[in-house]
Amino acid sequence: MPSLNRSLVGLHLPVGEPYEVALEHVRAFASALGDENALYRDPAAARAAGYPHAIAPPTFAQVVSAAGRRALFAHPELGLRYERILHSEQRFRYERPIVVGDVLTTAYAITEIALKGRHELLAWDAEIRDAEGELVCTASGSILSRETA
Amino acid sequence: VKPAPGTRLPRFRATITRLDLVRYCGAAGDFNPIHWSERHAAAAGLPTVIAHGMVTMGMAMRAVTDWCGDPGRVIECGVRFARVVPVPDDDGGAELDVAGVVVRLDENGNAVVALTVTNGGGEVLTGAYAVVRP
């Protein structure tokens, strides 16, 4: 008996609190990946490369969009159990890099809930927009709910 | 300069230790205990603590950004997580090996890079790619 509620496909979740991109957080994230690239760390180097401030690594959108994803996973009608989650797929499409000082909001939509053998798949699109409402990044992802089918 | 299709990226190798996972937990705000607790990993049916998929993806993209120099040129990237990366509780950690090749230039002259990411000889990601603007 599948545990995920298929009637939620197509649901758009409420947009959460804005995420403000801070230099020290970008540095800490880059450091956790062992990445010394100056464009993540040195605002002057990033400006010399044509950016308004230090930029964030390509996978940083996952951090910006984390609170919304937690809200999605915890949706009271979804039926997802946290300990069953295994990340299945992730994709980022950037209109421009995320830069320090950005104030970003993320809008989640559930795009698919499906059976995958003994597992269930939950897929989403997340649109990350800046304070002017311009699209910065589309983050599409999916998880498997392990052995809940 | 536009890279020619067939151009190989410099090989990228990384070691992931338990400490790296703890650092990533803090930096990314992802405290799922299967990434730091043997007990929780076992309860979830895993052989040991496993790396965050996003650590593996982050390392894969390092091969691309180290190559192109300016990470802001990566306009798209994606992966499928095919196998978990077990991270033993020792000083050696887990080895990741990332190979990349420019498979084509798209209609805008962007380089489409295909990535092969292995741990212990097995591919841990499938369909891993990045699109890098000129």
Side-chain angles (χ1 to χ4, degrees):
Chain A
M1 181 72 185
S3 62
L4 300 186
N5 178 359
R6 276 155 184 67
S7 73
L8 295 187
V9 173
L11 179 74
H12 290 254
L13 279 86
V15 174
E17 290 295 304
Y19 178 99
E20 187 168 346
V21 181
L23 179 59
E24 290 300 344
H25 196 179
V26 170
R27 287 175 173 163
F29 183 83
S31 293
L33 294 172
D35 198 329
E36 301 294 325
N37 196 308
L39 300 190
Y40 303 144
R41 302 171 177 281
D42 179 355
R47 288 188 184 104
Y51 300 111
H53 207 310
I55 65 172
T59 58
F60 192 75
Q62 194 75 353
V63 178
V64 171
S65 57
R69 201 165 46 255
R70 277 194 294 273
L72 165 64
F73 291 169
H75 191 287
E77 290 163 38
L78 180 58
L80 180 64
R81 279 148 60 202
Y82 185 71
E83 72 278 7
R84 292 274 138 201
I85 292 172
L86 199 60
H87 204 171
S88 177
E89 192 166 359
Q90 190 61 50
R91 194 165 71 243
F92 302 108
R93 201 166 58 242
Y94 282 94
E95 308 301 318
R96 64 162 176 85
I98 292 172
V99 298
V100 167
D102 272 338
V103 178
L104 303 169
T105 51
T106 306
Y108 273 85
I110 297 177
T111 56
E112 188 183 2
I113 296 175
L115 293 176
K116 292 280 174 186
R118 291 173 296 134
H119 315 300
E120 292 178 276
L121 178 100
L122 166 69
W124 63 85
D125 278 343
E127 288 187 353
I128 301 175
R129 292 180 183 274
D130 65 19
E132 283 70 48
E134 296 292 328
L135 185 63
V136 174
C137 178
T138 305
S140 304
S142 65
I143 55 105
L144 287 180
S145 172
R146 293 186 307 125
E147 296 178 17
T148 58
Chain B
V1 293
K2 288 180 182 175
T7 300
R8 291 190 180 281
L9 278 56
R11 201 64 167 256
F12 180 84
R13 289 187 176 83
T15 302
I16 302 171
T17 65
R18 290 283 177 94
L19 176 59
D20 293 323
L21 297 186
V22 170
R23 282 161 71 98
Y24 191 83
C25 283
D30 181 346
F31 294 97
N32 188 327
I34 62 172
H35 303 307
W36 52 267
S37 162
E38 200 75 51
R39 179 169 56 91
H40 282 92
L46 296 164
T48 186
V49 163
I50 62 168
H52 304 71
M54 292 307 297
V55 168
T56 308
M57 183 179 185
M59 292 299 186
M61 294 312 148
R62 280 200 58 194
V64 178
T65 57
D66 282 7
W67 168 65
C68 74
D70 176 356
R73 288 172 53 203
V74 177
I75 56 174
E76 188 174 333
C77 57
V79 304
R80 285 193 299 275
F81 303 100
R83 277 180 39 198
V84 299
V85 176
V87 178
D89 186 14
D90 61 21
D91 296 329
E95 301 283 343
L96 280 185
D97 191 319
V98 185
V101 61
V102 177
V103 287
R104 63 186 174 89
L105 299 182
D106 71 12
E107 62 279 12
N108 298 315
N110 303 312
V112 180
V113 176
L115 297 158
T116 306
V117 183
T118 58
N119 161 245
E123 285 195 46
V124 292
L125 302 178
T126 54
Y129 76 100
V131 181
V132 182
R133 66 170 168 76

